[in-house]
Amino acid sequence: MNRTTLSLIAGATALAAVTGFAVLTAPDPTAADDGVATAAARLPVERSSLLCPTPSSSDLAETTYTSFTPVTKGAESGGSAELRPATAGRLAEKGPEDGEEQSGEDGEEETGEDGGGEETAASAKTGKPVLEHKKEPGKPVTAETSGGEEPALLGTAEGRFAPGWTVQQTTEVAAGAGRGLQGVTCTAPDTEFWFPGASTAAGRTDYVHLTNPDGSAAVVDIEVYGKDGALKTEVGEGITVKPHSSEPVLLSTLTDEEQTDVTVHVVVRSGRVGAAVQALDDSLGGDWLAASADPAGSLVLPGIPEDATAVRLVVLTPGNVDADLKVQLASPSGLITPAGNETVHVKGGMTTAVDLGDVTRGEAGSLVLTPTDRSVPVVAAVRVLRGKGDDQESAFVPAARQVGLRATSAGNTAKGSVLAVTAPEGAAKVKVTASAGSEGGTPATETYTIKAGTTQNIEIPVPDDVEGTYALTVEPESDDTPVYASRTLTAPDDGVPAFTVQTLPDDRGMVAVPHTEEDLSVLQK
C-alpha cells in the first residue's frame, strides 16, 4: 500500500444515519488549506429510508400514499424512490418465507403516470412496488389502496430523490373504531421512541407498530408508564421483528392495567425499526400518534387546531427526578398563560395528564412548555378533540423538533390543509413553497414574518392551476431563531369533523460534512 493511499484512508470521514441512512461524498481532501478553520460543508444526502406502518385493519379503509422530494441544489443526478410491501405482519400468509426479501419487477409495470396508481393490493401480494417515483423531483406522486389487508411499506430513495424525501400515509375509515381521518408521516428507522398519549383504557384499542427494514431480525423492548410509574409488561420484553417485516403489538396485551393515559417507550436492543402508535377510540375516532421529540427541558407542541373543543396534555419525565413546567400558549397575539393551568408538576417516571379544555378559544395556538426552575428532560403530546357529542373526532400533536433548514409535508389538498408556524423565542421569517400538484399545476412561493412568541395559521400560496394533492416546504430565513410547524388535514364526513395533524421537523435532506486534508504525520505514529 503506497503512502498516498494511506494518507487518504487517514483523512477520509464516513457519515451515515440521515433519514434512516445516507451515503455521502466528502469534499476533495487535496483542496488547498488556507490556514483558516472553516465550517463544515452541507451536502445533500444520497440515500434515504422511510417506513410506513400497516394502514388499517378495517375493510372500510381507503388509504392514499403521497411521495414527494423537493428540488435540492447540488443533489446527485438520476435515482428514484419506491415503496415496497413488507413481507410479514398482517399479510404474512401472502408473502415469501420469513426473512426473504421480496424482489418484484423493479418497476416494469407502472400503474400511474409516475409509478403511482390504485392497484396496490395486487402489488402488495406480489412484492412489486406499491409506488415508484422516477421523474423529476418537485412533483408529488400518489398511490391508493383500500381494505384492511394492506401491509406495511418499506421505502428507499436514491440520488436526486433522496434529499428531503417524505411520504404521507392518509387513511379514511367510514365507520367503526377509529372512524375518521388517520394520518402519519412515514418515519426513518431508529433505536428509541417515546409516545406519551397512548391508552390501555376500555374503549381504546392502541397498537404499537414496529417495522424492520433490514435483512436481520430486530429485538425490541416496549415499556409502559402509567400515573403511578412503570407498568408490569413481561411480554413486552425481547419482541422479535423479523427481517423486512412489520409487527403490530396490541398495547392491552402487554399489561392488565387499564389506564386512560400512558406513555409508551420503545427501545431497540439490536437492529433498528420504525415505530408509531395507532390509537383507535370506539366513539371519538382515532389517529396515529407519532413519537415525541427527544426528552428535553423545554418543548413546543405546534399547531393545535383553532376550533379544538378539548385539549389534553400528557407529559412524562423519563428519569426519577420530578419536573415543574410552565405552560403557555403561543397565540396569534403572543404568549399567554391558560387560567388554572399555569404550571404542571410531573413526578419522575410517572405519566401526568392535564385537561386544558378549549385552550385555543378559536385562535391558532401552540403549547410551549418551559421549566419553572431547574431543567429536567420531559416528553409530551396533546390529544385534541374537534366537534361535539356523537360527532367528535380526535387527533394528536406530539412535541416537535425544530423545522431546521427545511421541513417538507406531502398530501395536502386545496381546501383541507392548514399550515401553522410558531416562533416562541423570537421573530422569524419563513419561506413557504407550495409544489406543483400531483395532477398538474405550477409551484408558488411566499415569505412570511412570524412575530416573537406567536403562532400563525399561514394562508398557503396555492396557485389556481394546481390539481390533485400538493406538497409544502417550509424554510426559515434566519439561523438563530427556532421555528416549529405542523400541518392539519381536514375531511368532514356526515357532520364529523375528521382531521389529522402532522408536525414538520427538519427533513434531514442536508448533512454537514467536515473538511478533510492530508496528514502525513500519521505515518510516523
Side-chain angles (χ1 to χ4, degrees):
M1 183 178 295
N2 59 37
R3 177 168 299 185
T4 301
T5 303
L6 287 172
S7 62
L8 287 172
I9 293 174
T13 301
L15 293 174
V18 175
T19 42
F21 54 85
V23 181
L24 303 164
T25 303
D28 182 3
T30 63
D33 181 6
D34 58 6
V36 178
T38 57
R42 288 195 172 272
L43 299 178
V45 302
E46 297 176 3
R47 198 163 191 242
S48 296
S49 174
L50 293 176
L51 307 173
C52 306
T54 303
S56 178
S57 59
S58 172
D59 292 337
L60 303 177
E62 301 287 339
T63 300
T64 300
Y65 297 97
T66 306
S67 168
F68 178 76
T69 297
V71 176
T72 303
K73 184 178 180 180
E76 293 289 312
S77 60
S80 64
E82 67 175 24
L83 296 172
R84 289 181 177 270
T87 59
R90 289 183 177 136
L91 279 188
E93 71 278 5
K94 297 179 180 179
E97 294 297 319
D98 292 337
E100 184 178 314
E101 185 174 6
Q102 301 194 34
S103 58
E105 297 291 337
D106 293 329
E108 292 181 4
E109 298 181 15
E110 295 185 356
T111 56
E113 180 182 356
D114 196 12
E118 299 182 357
E119 300 177 3
T120 58
S123 297
K125 296 176 183 179
T126 61
K128 296 178 181 179
V130 169
L131 180 149
E132 287 189 287
H133 202 159
K134 288 185 173 182
K135 295 184 178 179
E136 295 291 330
K139 178 182 177 181
V141 172
T142 64
E144 298 178 354
T145 186
S146 61
E149 293 190 328
E150 296 303 319
L153 302 180
L154 313 178
T156 302
E158 297 180 334
R160 59 182 175 173
F161 291 92
W165 183 47
T166 187
V167 176
Q168 171 71 18
Q169 174 183 300
T170 305
T171 303
E172 293 188 50
V173 180
R179 60 95 178 95
L181 198 64
Q182 301 173 20
V184 64
T185 302
C186 300
T187 59
D190 208 336
T191 57
E192 186 177 27
F193 306 85
W194 291 94
F195 299 98
S199 179
T200 59
R204 275 279 289 271
T205 305
D206 287 17
Y207 288 92
V208 183
H209 286 254
L210 307 171
T211 306
N212 178 7
D214 298 323
S216 58
V219 180
V220 179
D221 292 339
I222 299 178
E223 303 166 349
V224 184
Y225 296 86
K227 57 185 177 62
D228 299 317
L231 305 182
K232 187 177 181 181
T233 57
E234 291 182 359
V235 294
E237 298 180 357
I239 298 172
T240 298
V241 186
K242 297 175 182 178
H244 308 295
S245 73
S246 185
E247 186 70 33
V249 179
L250 182 59
L251 195 58
S252 61
T253 63
L254 302 183
T255 176
D256 294 331
E257 296 190 45
E258 293 186 358
Q259 294 199 16
T260 303
D261 302 287
V262 299
T263 299
V264 175
H265 185 205
V266 175
V267 183
V268 184
R269 290 192 201 176
S270 64
R272 56 186 187 148
V273 300
V277 172
Q278 189 176 34
L280 309 177
D281 194 287
D282 290 345
S283 59
L284 298 175
D287 205 352
W288 288 96
L289 171 58
S292 168
D294 294 335
S298 299
L299 296 174
V300 177
L301 294 76
I304 299 172
E306 58 188 7
D307 59 350
T309 54
V311 176
R312 187 173 179 84
L313 172 65
V314 182
V315 188
L316 171 84
T317 173
N320 296 321
V321 180
D322 293 2
D324 289 289
L325 299 171
K326 183 178 182 180
V327 180
Q328 293 179 292
L329 181 76
S331 71
S333 58
L335 289 168
I336 60 176
T337 301
N341 293 294
E342 295 85 358
T343 61
V344 57
H345 179 72
V346 186
K347 293 182 179 180
M350 302 179 187
T351 296
T352 299
V354 179
D355 284 318
L356 301 178
D358 57 342
V359 65
T360 58
R361 299 188 180 278
E363 293 185 319
S366 303
L367 278 186
V368 180
L369 306 178
T370 54
T372 59
D373 188 8
R374 61 175 176 173
S375 180
V376 178
V378 297
V379 293
V382 292
R383 185 188 189 188
V384 180
L385 297 182
R386 296 176 69 226
K388 296 181 179 180
D390 294 335
D391 293 333
Q392 287 183 298
E393 162 73 317
S394 59
F396 298 88
V397 182
R401 297 178 177 87
Q402 295 181 28
V403 169
L405 292 177
R406 178 185 65 190
T408 304
S409 171
N412 299 283
T413 59
K415 296 182 179 180
S417 297
V418 176
L419 174 65
V421 181
T422 184
E425 298 182 18
K429 284 189 176 182
V430 295
K431 181 172 71 174
V432 177
T433 301
S435 76
S438 57
E439 299 175 12
T442 55
T445 300
E446 292 285 348
T447 299
Y448 303 86
T449 298
I450 312 299
K451 295 180 180 179
T454 69
T455 297
Q456 180 177 337
N457 281 353
I458 287 177
E459 185 174 346
I460 303 171
V462 184
D464 294 336
D465 63 349
V466 169
E467 297 181 7
T469 63
Y470 64 90
L472 286 171
T473 56
V474 179
E475 299 173 88
E477 296 194 336
S478 55
D479 296 333
D480 55 349
T481 303
V483 173
Y484 302 82
S486 71
R487 185 278 316 272
T488 299
L489 290 177
T490 60
D493 183 21
D494 292 333
V496 176
F499 74 115
T500 181
V501 183
Q502 283 78 54
T503 59
L504 275 65
D506 190 294
D507 63 24
R508 296 183 291 185
M510 306 291 286
V511 68
V513 181
H515 291 280
T516 61
E517 62 181 22
E518 288 186 329
D519 183 3
L520 300 181
S521 67
V522 299
L523 301 179
Q524 302 173 357
K525 296 179 181 179

